[in-house]
Amino acid sequence: MIGPLATGLIVFALVIALASLLTTALNKSMGTVLLVALGVLEIGLLVQAGFVVAALAAGEGPTDTATLIGYTAGTVVIPPVAAFWGVGERSRWGPAVIAVAGFAIPGMVGRMLQIWQGMG
Amino acid sequence: MSERAQEGRTAEGPTAGEGRTAGGGHGTGGGPGRVLVAVYGVFALAAGARAAVQIARQFDEAPLAYTLSAFAAAVYLLLAVALGRGMRRLALVACGIELAGVLIVGTLSLVDPEAFPKATVWSGFGSGYVFIPLVLPVLGLYWLSRRR
C-alpha cells in the first residue's frame, strides 16, 4: 500500500464530504462537480485496490489478508452505490448521501493503513 | 415539520414521477430517509464483512460476540432495504430490535466484559463506531414516526 496515495484519498474524500454537506446546507441538489469528484475518487480507490491486490499476489502485505481484502472491496463499491443512490434524490438530501460515503471512505482507508502496518 | 418533507419533494421537479423506489417522496426512502438508508447500507457492509471474516477465521475465540456481529449486520441490511422500499412496519420492528440490541449488548459488555472478549458493533453502546449504532435506531424511529 502506498502511503501518499492513501493519504491523498483520505483528504480528497473528506473534501467531497464537506462540499456535500455544504451543498445540503445551501439546500441544493446534486451537481455535476460532486459527481465528477466522486468519479475521480473512485478511480483513485481502484488504483489503490490494484496496488493492494498486486502486493498480496506477490506475497507481500500483512497477515490479516481477509480483512484487508474486505475493506479494499468496500472502498471500491461505496462511491458508485452512493452516486446511484444520491442522484435518485433530487433534493438537498442527495448530496447528503454523498457526504455519508465521503466520511465512510476515510475511515475504511485509515483502517486499511493500520492493517497494512500490522497495527490492526 | 412535514413542510420540509414536502419541500424535498417539490424540488424533485419533473423527475418526481419516475420514483424508482416505491413511493418516492411518500415512502420512507425519500428525502432525509435517503441518508438514513445510506448510513444503514454502509453499516450493513462494514459490520457484515467484519463478521464474515471473524466467523470464518476465528469463530471459536468468541462465538457469542461474532454471532451478535453477524446478527447486527443482518438487522442493518434489513433496515436499509425496508426503509429504502418503504416497508414501514418491517422497518419499525427492525428499529426496535436494533435499539434493544444496542442497549442490551451495550449494558452487558460493560457489566460483564468477559462475556464479550471481542468487540461487536454494539459493545459499549457502539463506542467503537463513535456511538453511531446508538443514535441510528433513535433517528430511525423518529423518522418513521414522522412519515406516518
Side-chain angles (χ1 to χ4, degrees), chain A residues 27 64 67 85 89-90 93 96, chain B residues 7 11 31-32 34-35 53 57:
Chain A
N27 202 3
D64 198 356
T67 313
W85 192 237
E89 172 71 32
R90 302 308 300 166
W93 300 107
Chain B
E7 172 196 316
R34 285 243 159 193
V35 185
V53 169
R57 304 181 85 216

Side-chain angles (χ1 to χ4, degrees), chain A residues 17-113:
Chain A
L18 292 177
S20 305
L21 278 187
L22 189 66
T23 313
T24 298
L26 293 174
N27 202 3
K28 288 183 181 163
S29 64
M30 282 274 284
T32 321
V33 179
L34 272 183
L35 269 185
V36 171
L38 211 56
V40 173
L41 178 70
E42 174 68 9
I43 291 170
L45 288 168
L46 282 172
V47 170
Q48 176 173 261
F51 279 119
V52 168
V53 171
L56 290 178
E60 296 167 28
T63 45
D64 198 356
T65 317
T67 313
L68 186 70
I69 292 174
Y71 275 111
T72 308
T75 55
V76 173
V77 168
I78 284 180
V81 174
F84 177 77
W85 192 237
V87 166
E89 172 71 32
R90 302 308 300 166
S91 75
R92 55 156 54 178
W93 300 107
V97 168
I98 308 302
V100 173
F103 283 120
I105 294 292
M108 297 178 85
V109 175
R111 282 290 298 148
M112 284 168 69
L113 276 175

Side-chain angles (χ1 to χ4, degrees), chain B residues 40-62:
Chain B
Y40 274 124
V42 169
F43 264 79
L45 185 69
R50 189 176 173 200
V53 169
Q54 288 172 332
I55 287 175
R57 304 181 85 216
Q58 50 204 21
F59 183 66
D60 298 338
E61 274 181 33

